[in-house]
Amino acid sequence: MNNQRRNVLKSGSGAALLTVLAAAGIIKPGMALAEWNKAAFDAKSMADTLKAMGVGSPVDSKDVQVTGPDIAENGAVVPVGVSSTLPNVTMVAILIEKNPNALAATFTLPEGTEANVQTRVKMGQTSNVYALVKSDGKFFMATKEIKVTLGGCGG
Amino acid sequence: MAANPMKIRASNKDGVTEVKVLISHEMETGQRKDASGAIVPAWFITELTAKHNDRLVLGAEFGTAVSKNPYLAFRFKGGAKGDKIVVSWKDSKGETRTDEAAIA
């Protein structure tokens, strides 16, 4: 527990600045919609996506949950949810490793919004689905494999 | 095209508001081919925001992997019956749509 707190403090200055910048960008009046991160959404592999998002090396965490079916019959509509009990979660992302572009969606959570979002995604084939969560400026990750019987990208 | 309104349901329970949004959108990936073999160009929602009384409660960025007619559910602290929830999205063609609902 304490170790984690030290780490947060250590990485605090840089991360805090980022948070402030992000908050300023999002809350700025007249700017209704955040800037779409093209590089991250265009990236093909998991590694490239994380790089484009400015994520170093996320830590696997039991406090992050990916919910979804074990087997999805229809890859075009796979219900996926991400929840976390970590404090101060400001960002949640859903990544699907074997999709043409790994990043499916990112969510910005202002203060007061719970780290609990659900959506539906397309999956081309059986793949690991990653939930990436930013808590106190650090990144955490969890994985769930979802088997797909009928792909959702070919048609 | 983007004519169909979003379906927004918001309900407050024990001080937490749960918002569910169903959006009517094709969400073309740009990887699908039509009957003649031509690639159907990508067309999908890129950005979405949800506000509660002008306060941002959720920002979202979508890629092409989000399903057709996207569904979204999230929860935030606060909100009272009758308060307004406003959801806006913008797609890759620059089209936008905004809908609102009252918290039930």
Side-chain angles (χ1 to χ4, degrees):
Chain A
M1 259 332 214
N2 270 331
N3 265 337
Q4 210 168 4
R5 292 187 125 186
R6 290 302 110 191
N7 284 335
V8 169
L9 283 179
K10 257 188 260 169
S11 64
S13 53
L17 181 66
L18 276 180
T19 316
V20 170
L21 287 176
I26 286 152
I27 295 160
K28 206 196 300 169
M31 189 179 147
L33 299 164
E35 190 83 16
W36 193 64
N37 190 343
K38 191 173 189 299
F41 280 102
D42 279 350
K44 303 252 183 292
S45 69
M46 283 283 298
D48 288 349
T49 308
L50 293 178
K51 211 164 132 193
M53 291 172 75
V55 178
S57 46
V59 183
D60 284 332
S61 170
K62 281 189 197 118
D63 297 324
V64 179
Q65 278 90 36
V66 194
T67 52
D70 294 327
I71 296 174
E73 280 186 18
N74 182 358
V77 187
V78 184
V80 174
V82 177
S83 64
S84 172
T85 50
L86 292 164
N88 302 323
V89 173
T90 52
M91 197 277 296
V92 167
I94 299 170
L95 296 97
I96 301 157
E97 191 175 18
K98 290 195 182 148
N99 264 11
N101 305 103
L103 186 57
T106 66
F107 300 95
T108 312
L109 311 179
E111 205 181 328
T113 299
E114 293 183 3
N116 185 348
V117 289
Q118 278 109 45
T119 187
R120 295 197 289 233
V121 297
K122 289 174 236 179
M123 291 178 64
Q125 55 179 304
T126 297
S127 168
N128 283 333
V129 174
Y130 291 87
L132 180 71
V133 164
K134 187 179 183 185
S135 156
D136 274 336
K138 288 175 68 181
F139 291 96
F140 298 92
M141 207 145 82
T143 316
K144 179 185 170 71
E145 189 192 39
I146 298 181
K147 288 190 165 54
V148 175
T149 10
L150 180 68
C153 289
Chain B
M1 302 287 262
N4 290 330
M6 285 177 249
K7 286 181 185 152
I8 307 170
R9 298 270 181 281
S11 60
N12 187 289
K13 201 184 167 199
D14 301 328
V16 174
T17 301
E18 180 169 39
V19 183
K20 293 179 181 172
V21 187
L22 193 58
I23 305 161
S24 172
H25 200 284
E26 281 300 320
M27 298 299 287
E28 273 301 341
T29 58
Q31 315 210 12
R32 225 164 49 91
K33 288 178 182 158
D34 64 15
S36 61
I39 286 175
V40 183
W43 176 35
F44 56 100
I45 292 175
T46 52
E47 291 148 55
L48 178 143
T49 57
K51 287 180 181 173
H52 161 241
N53 290 347
D54 288 336
R55 190 181 77 90
L56 189 75
V57 286
L58 185 82
E61 295 180 24
F62 286 172
T64 53
V66 173
S67 296
K68 178 177 173 172
N69 297 334
Y71 166 79
L72 183 64
F74 65 97
R75 294 148 63 88
F76 67 91
K77 287 193 188 72
K81 203 174 169 176
D83 283 1
K84 244 199 300 183
I85 300 290
V86 179
V87 181
S88 311
W89 56 252
K90 182 179 153 197
D91 70 20
S92 55
K93 286 184 183 171
E95 289 180 34
T96 61
R97 177 161 186 106
T98 301
D99 284 298
E100 59 180 60
I103 299 176

